Structure formats: structure tokens, C-alpha cells
Amino acid sequence: MEIGKTFSFVTEDEQWITKVLIGGLIPLIPIVGTFAVQGYSYRVAQNVARGNPRPLPAWGEFGDLLKTGFMAFVIQFVYVLPVAIIYGIFVALTIAAAAISGESEGGAAFVGLLSLCFLPLIFIAAIVCSFAALAAIMRYLATDSFGEAFKFGEVLAMLRNHIGVFLMILVVAIIAVFVAGLGAIACGIGALFTAFYAQCMIGHAVGQAMQRIFPAQQPVYAAPGYYGPPPGYGPPPSY
């Protein structure tokens, strides 16, 4: 994965300043803005995976960006449910331990110890579910099929067989968080735009990963400046 490219590709677009300025302001729209920016990031991923030399989409596609962001949110919500359930059990056990602590010290200690056992489980589940959610979203982006995201066995196999790729995306995400924080220097206002820039970086990293996992069946965008309709991806690999 070309980590350096995730930094530089934004400024290679002739209209990058306008697109970043708009992208920094869009999140100010309640709820809708968040979905739109998320969709923008994933559209960047699609464009990178398809070989578009200028992967920043136009904001004129707002409706499609909003749809993509919302679909990705639904997929992520489904995949993080196990973490929420485990955390709910942990909270219930903690409350139970507090409730009986005055009646039986031994019982309280047992329940408290049992609840602590859930902490590493929650941590591991959060990592696995987050990676699995990203893999599912990538399948959705690659095929334009919502159902592909919920073929759980294939999603987990994809994650297992390409774990190194997902770890590289994590590295880019960590760097992107640092980039997003740089905007605080400008009295916090710049954070709006650096946060959007960081989202684009993550989108580019996801797109590079998709190129490796879902290779296109034929070349796309034969020459710089050509923006004709891209062909679809090949079918997801079977594991």
C-alpha cells in the first residue's frame, strides 16, 4: 500500500480546494452531513479501486453520497451489535455486583471478577467486529450489492486472508487522526477541513485495499482525464 499517496492525492485534483472547503462545511448539516461525508470517503475508495486518476468525486452527486454513507452506517451497525450485547452484559454484571455487595462480600467479589473477565472479550470483539464491518462495507462498495455485506462467512474469510491489508488501513487511520488534529491550530476552525481531509485519506487507503482484494476484470480509465462509465468489479473471491 502506498501510504504517501494517501497524503498527496487530494492536492492533485484541480478543484481540490473547493471540494475540501465544501467537505469541511457539510458536516455542519445535522445527521445528513455525517452520512454524506462518510459516503464521500467511500466514493473515493470506489474511484481509487477503479483506477480513476482523480478520485475526488464532485459534490453534485450529493444524493448518491448520502445513500452510500447511510448504507455503510447500517452495515457497520449490524456488525458492531455483538460488541454492544457483550458490553450490556458487562454493565448488568457490574450493577449486580454493586447491588449485592452489601449482602455478601464473597458473592460480590465473584460477580465483580466475572464482570472483569468481559473486559478483554469486549476489546477483542471490538477489534474483530470493526475489521469485519470494514470488510463487509468493502464488499458492498465493490459489488454495489447490499446483500454481499451480510455473507458473514465470506466476510470473515476475506478478513482472515487479507489481515495484513486491514492492518495497513489501520495505520493510515491512525495517521489520519493525527492529521485531523492539526486543524485545532487554527482556533479549532481548521479542524473541520483537516477532519474531512483525513476522511479522504482513509477512503484512499480503503480503495488501495480494494484494488488488491477485488481486482478489476479490465483496465479502467485508459488515459488521464477520461471519466467514462467504469465497468463493474469482478465477483468477490470465493474462499
Side-chain angles (χ1 to χ4, degrees):
M1 182 176 293
E2 298 180 69
I3 295 180
K5 190 67 174 177
T6 63
F7 283 93
S8 63
F9 86 96
V10 173
T11 57
E12 293 173 0
D13 190 292
E14 293 82 357
Q15 299 179 336
W16 76 272
I17 295 179
T18 300
K19 292 177 179 179
V20 170
L21 287 176
I22 295 174
L25 297 175
I26 288 293
L28 297 178
I29 304 175
I31 303 176
V32 172
T34 301
F35 287 146
V37 169
Q38 195 71 20
Y40 193 98
S41 175
Y42 287 129
R43 184 58 60 84
V44 169
Q46 285 181 313
N47 289 343
V48 171
R50 292 169 177 170
N52 190 329
R54 296 292 183 269
L56 287 181
W59 278 106
E61 308 170 25
F62 189 84
D64 289 336
L65 299 176
L66 184 60
K67 174 186 174 183
T68 300
F70 179 74
M71 290 297 191
F73 168 78
V74 172
I75 294 170
Q76 191 170 29
F77 177 81
V78 171
Y79 274 85
V80 300
L81 274 179
V83 181
I85 292 172
I86 295 173
Y87 182 75
I89 295 174
F90 168 74
V91 171
L93 289 175
T94 303
I95 294 175
I100 67 174
S101 60
E103 302 176 6
S104 171
E105 293 184 2
F110 173 76
V111 176
L113 180 62
L114 185 61
S115 67
L116 289 176
C117 292
F118 276 83
L119 290 177
L121 182 60
I122 292 172
F123 178 75
I124 295 172
I127 294 176
V128 173
C129 289
S130 296
F131 278 170
L134 179 57
I137 291 171
M138 289 166 65
R139 288 180 67 87
Y140 161 64
L141 296 176
T143 62
D144 290 320
S145 172
F146 191 62
E148 286 291 333
F150 299 103
K151 294 183 177 179
F152 299 107
E154 295 182 20
V155 168
L156 292 177
M158 171 181 160
L159 176 59
R160 182 177 63 250
N161 294 336
H162 300 280
I163 187 63
V165 174
F166 286 91
L167 290 175
M168 289 303 297
I169 295 176
L170 177 60
V171 170
V172 173
I174 293 172
I175 297 174
V177 170
F178 173 76
V179 171
L182 294 178
I185 297 176
C187 300
I189 298 176
L192 293 172
F193 307 103
T194 53
F196 175 73
Y197 197 106
Q199 284 288 337
C200 292
M201 288 177 58
I202 295 173
H204 197 283
V206 172
Q208 290 188 55
M210 289 172 63
Q211 280 185 325
R212 297 183 60 176
I213 300 173
F214 305 102
Q217 292 181 318
Q218 59 185 16
V220 187
Y221 301 103
Y226 173 66
Y227 294 89
Y233 292 97
S238 57
Y239 300 97

